[in-house]
Amino acid sequence: MSSMLMKSSGLRAGLFGLVAAVFAPAAMAQDAGQLAQECGRAVRVVALNATQDIQEATEDAIGVIRDLNDSDATNQEILRAGAIARNRIEARADAARERIGTIVQNCVQELRAMDAPQALIARVLDAGRDTRRAVSTAQHRANHRINAAVRLAIED
């Protein structure tokens, strides 16, 4: 009996959703706008988390490189520590860019299915491009700082 009630409730909710979609295009536009905002927010969160992770990994790597230098490690060990750190940062940045791309792709598909205005779709695409660029910039800066720490340690 309860499964019948749930099916009936689900059908009723689906019908109400369909009626609302047919008779309330302004509501659909608002939903598309909300979706575009949520998508922009989602990619910004991914980028923010990734850039923070990259910054923390950079600080950790620089600490390790300094510790190795202080303990008279070989140049090879210092170079290896730098390479490991750069690889770790690259993997984190790649994962973030991939996640951002997936979010953007899914959002654009959904917005197109909703017949959203092109301006909303462009806003999501721009947010994806900008956040991927922010992750790449963080990665580039991290690599530069790690390379500088390695150089200083080797020259010391």
Side-chain angles (χ1 to χ4, degrees):
M1 179 87 160
S2 65
S3 68
M4 251 332 231
L5 179 61
M6 288 192 329
K7 285 182 183 175
S8 173
S9 296
L11 179 61
R12 196 170 331 143
L15 287 175
F16 284 131
L18 181 60
V19 168
V22 170
F23 292 108
M28 284 296 285
Q30 185 179 9
D31 289 343
Q34 288 172 343
L35 176 61
Q37 284 181 334
E38 290 172 17
C39 293
R41 192 173 311 118
V43 296
R44 284 190 300 275
V45 167
V46 170
L48 178 62
N49 289 338
T51 57
Q52 288 174 341
D53 289 350
I54 288 168
Q55 289 170 353
E56 288 174 18
T58 302
E59 293 304 320
D60 291 346
I62 290 170
V64 166
I65 291 165
R66 286 180 181 151
D67 290 346
L68 286 170
N69 187 43
D70 291 344
S71 65
D72 294 325
T74 66
N75 287 350
Q76 192 63 31
E77 291 170 312
I78 292 169
L79 288 167
R80 186 174 26 251
I84 289 168
R86 284 189 303 274
N87 289 340
R88 189 172 293 141
I89 288 167
E90 179 180 15
R92 179 63 178 104
D94 287 347
R97 285 187 294 261
E98 184 177 331
R99 179 71 182 129
I100 290 167
T102 299
I103 291 169
V104 168
Q105 181 181 12
N106 291 341
C107 288
V108 167
Q109 284 178 334
E110 187 65 28
L111 288 168
R112 286 185 176 143
M114 298 169 80
D115 290 325
Q118 187 59 40
L120 289 178
I121 294 170
R123 189 181 316 160
V124 170
L125 292 169
D126 289 346
R129 181 198 63 233
D130 293 346
T131 54
R132 281 190 298 266
R133 185 176 296 149
V135 171
S136 293
T137 298
Q139 178 185 4
H140 175 75
R141 287 180 180 157
N143 286 338
H144 178 74
R145 291 187 65 212
I146 291 167
N147 291 342
V150 167
R151 248 188 332 275
L152 285 172
I154 290 175
E155 291 172 359
D156 188 25

